Amino acid sequence: MDFEPSYMALVDSGEIDERIEKLYASLEKCEICPRKCGVNRLQGEMGYCKADANLVVSSAQPHFWEEAPLVGLGGSGTVFLSNCNLRCVYCQNSEISHGGEGVSMTPEQLADSMLYLQRVGCHNINLVTPTHYTPQLVRSIAIAARKGLRLPVVYNCSGYESVETLKLLDGIIDIYMPDMKYGDVESAKLYSDAPDYVEVSKDAVREMHAQVGDLVIEMDIAWHGLLIRHLLLPNERAGSLKVLEFIANEISKDSYVNIMFQYRPSYEAFEFKEISRPPFVEEYNVVLDMARGLGLHRGFPNL
Ligand code: SF4
């Protein structure tokens, strides 16, 4: 398949440089994400996510445990970013997301890592928890593109995104892969310290879908579009039905939805009795039936 990533048009026209300028300007009184902390990250101040102007990366390597259309034979070129704009009590990577473990890299160095991931045969550049580093990451993409990067970029995020920032990513990101963690406001507040998560994530996913549409898979590889993840929590604590209803009724019944069954309590989850166990298979089957009943049919077992 002949494929040219979206960002090449903006690189060729030079518009990507204007976007980078606008994104960096947002760091001066940071409103990159919905927390809108207002700190001057360019002067070394830190807000909720504990990130300043430095790009901190935990790892950049081929990864084979993502969704099958991202992995193919060559793997997904994952770049794990340190820090996070959510505080999930069940975080699986708390040392990285909350503890900030990782190494400082310049956008130029990360661009070279992206080119390395392309050289070793990865099918995409998969930016994991990218939100708070959007300006630095777009700069890396522009540098890498000018040196020959031609892979689609995956924006693999928590769904807690600012629509204004997403608009500056229009035409740069080929695949949006947001979580839709909660359909229930109380859970979002209690487990992720984000009482506005439900509405914020809906607006973000609407914007993402408007930009890229449903997921396009050709030759078993994802090239473009929206891939939504929903992590099943025990005791219906994720509000799964509300999430699935939103996707089916307001986004598209052709949405690719990975309903994830891998929740295991970790970090501070044991302090919350109702989420201190994995979900049961019966709970998973109920949610799969809900999805099928709503007309969703991609991304989960559809027997
Ligand atoms: S990116 Fe970080 S500093 Fe900026 S608004 Fe979000 S949490 Fe606050």
Side-chain angles (χ1 to χ4, degrees), residues 26-27 30-39 41 46-51 84-85 131-133:
S26 297
L27 293 180
C30 193
E31 49 186 37
I32 284 286
C33 90
R35 300 240 178 232
K36 294 193 186 327
C37 298
V39 294
R41 290 174 56 188
M46 294 178 192
Y48 188 92
C49 64
K50 297 189 207 155
C84 186
N85 69 341
T131 311
H132 46 294
Y133 291 125

Side-chain angles (χ1 to χ4, degrees), residues 261-300:
F261 185 49
Q262 68 245 43
Y263 175 79
R264 299 293 178 272
S266 57
Y267 191 45
E268 297 169 347
F270 292 101
E271 293 170 25
F272 300 82
K273 190 166 181 296
E274 66 283 6
I275 58 165
S276 61
R277 64 160 173 85
F280 300 134
V281 176
E282 291 78 6
E283 291 174 300
Y284 181 53
N285 285 333
V286 166
V287 172
L288 292 183
D289 280 344
M290 286 175 185
R292 294 178 195 122
L294 288 163
L296 296 166
H297 60 100
R298 301 178 73 201
F300 55 88

Side-chain angles (χ1 to χ4, degrees), residues 1-258:
M1 170 178 173
D2 280 343
F3 173 80
E4 178 156 288
S6 309
Y7 51 77
M8 284 313 297
L10 297 189
V11 170
D12 290 342
S13 69
E15 192 185 326
I16 200 162
D17 299 314
E18 290 166 32
R19 302 279 189 94
I20 292 167
E21 232 173 85
K22 286 182 185 162
L23 285 164
Y24 268 91
S26 297
L27 293 180
E28 210 174 323
K29 204 175 163 200
C30 193
E31 49 186 37
I32 284 286
C33 90
R35 300 240 178 232
K36 294 193 186 327
C37 298
V39 294
N40 189 341
R41 290 174 56 188
L42 298 174
Q43 294 293 327
E45 291 176 13
M46 294 178 192
Y48 188 92
C49 64
K50 297 189 207 155
D52 57 17
N54 289 313
L55 178 63
V56 184
V57 178
S58 170
S59 64
Q61 59 195 8
H63 191 47
F64 292 87
W65 295 102
E66 298 285 60
E67 284 76 354
L70 295 179
V71 169
L73 293 176
S76 179
T78 48
V79 177
F80 282 90
L81 286 314
S82 305
N83 301 308
C84 186
N85 69 341
L86 288 182
R87 288 277 179 282
C88 301
V89 296
Y90 48 83
C91 184
Q92 303 271 338
N93 307 305
S94 55
E95 303 84 6
I96 299 167
S97 298
H98 302 173
E101 267 185 18
V103 291
S104 274
M105 290 178 94
T106 63
E108 289 76 10
Q109 287 170 323
L110 182 59
D112 287 342
S113 295
M114 291 176 176
L115 292 165
Y116 159 77
L117 292 168
Q118 176 171 266
R119 267 199 313 280
V120 298
C122 292
H123 298 284
N124 46 64
I125 299 298
N126 182 351
L127 305 174
V128 186
T129 322
T131 311
H132 46 294
Y133 291 125
T134 305
Q136 298 92 327
L137 293 171
V138 174
R139 180 167 278 168
S140 296
I141 292 166
I143 296 166
R146 287 178 172 127
K147 288 176 157 183
L149 184 73
R150 294 296 180 269
L151 295 179
V153 172
V154 182
Y155 192 84
N156 178 348
C157 66
S158 69
Y160 196 57
E161 312 298 311
S162 141
V163 169
E164 292 76 27
T165 301
L166 290 174
K167 284 187 188 298
L168 291 173
L169 296 177
D170 191 5
I172 296 171
I173 302 300
D174 269 293
I175 300 173
Y176 281 108
M177 186 157 67
D179 290 327
M180 288 202 86
K181 291 177 180 292
Y182 307 107
D184 182 275
V185 172
E186 273 310 304
S187 294
K189 187 175 162 188
L190 200 57
Y191 308 136
S192 293
D193 192 24
D196 56 349
Y197 180 94
V198 174
E199 286 311 311
V200 164
S201 65
K202 283 181 180 176
D203 287 345
V205 169
R206 282 190 195 101
E207 173 64 25
M208 293 174 188
H209 188 253
Q211 288 184 22
V212 297
D214 294 325
L215 191 67
V216 174
I217 299 175
E218 283 188 31
M219 299 185 310
D220 296 330
I221 297 294
W223 299 96
H224 192 82
L226 175 68
L227 191 167
I228 301 170
R229 286 173 161 176
H230 175 65
L231 178 67
L232 178 64
L233 294 178
N235 291 306
E236 298 177 30
R237 296 315 299 149
S240 301
L241 178 59
K242 288 184 194 157
V243 170
L244 296 171
E245 280 177 341
F246 168 75
I247 296 169
N249 298 333
E250 295 192 42
I251 300 299
S252 162
K253 290 193 185 346
D254 294 326
S255 297
Y256 190 107
V257 188
N258 181 3

